[in-house]
Amino acid sequence: MDFPEGARVLNVSIDLAVHGSAEHPEPSPPVEAFFRVIDEPVLRLASVDLKAAVDITSLAEVFDFARDYLGLLKAALIASGIIPPGIEGATQPLSDLLARLTGRRDSASNSRAK
């Protein structure tokens, strides 16, 4: 960025609900995500609403978006910079990258949007 002091960030949160719905009577965030450190050299991705989970053990798996239903979570890891986009195709073990990130990571999401 050529002019970082001119940058601005806008964070917006929107709670959604269907008026009169018995299933979701109160507005809530449509997507939730969290990270935690685990004791295994893997990226554990899980989607509660899709009932899908995977333990990623290689960088190639992170960039294989069509391998499972968790391609959007993988893209989020890359877009957020947790997994650098320039590392695609590298032969470096994922465990080395995770060690540099101060531990191993676990990610889960839940989307209430239908």
Side-chain angles (χ1 to χ4, degrees):
M1 177 181 279
D2 294 336
F3 185 55
E5 59 274 8
R8 300 289 182 265
V9 175
L10 175 64
N11 291 317
V12 177
S13 175
I14 301 171
D15 290 344
L16 302 175
V18 176
H19 183 68
S21 169
E23 185 178 347
H24 302 288
E26 295 295 320
S28 61
V31 177
E32 297 174 18
F34 67 89
F35 292 94
R36 65 185 166 139
V37 176
I38 60 175
D39 292 331
E40 299 173 59
V42 300
L43 281 169
R44 181 167 294 143
L45 303 179
S47 174
V48 176
D49 59 314
L50 294 176
K51 296 179 178 69
V54 66
D55 282 356
I56 296 177
T57 58
S58 72
L59 286 171
E61 289 178 78
V62 177
F63 290 92
D64 187 355
F65 303 108
R67 184 179 187 127
D68 46 48
Y69 291 116
L70 303 173
L72 189 58
L73 289 179
K74 294 174 184 179
L77 289 172
I78 296 164
S80 68
I82 293 171
I83 302 294
I87 206 165
E88 182 176 9
T91 58
Q92 173 186 6
L94 178 61
S95 58
D96 288 355
L97 178 64
L98 293 174
R100 289 186 182 172
L101 292 172
T102 67
R104 284 100 176 135
R105 303 229 177 234
D106 180 16
S107 170
S109 75
N110 181 31
S111 175
R112 293 187 187 96
K114 298 217 180 206

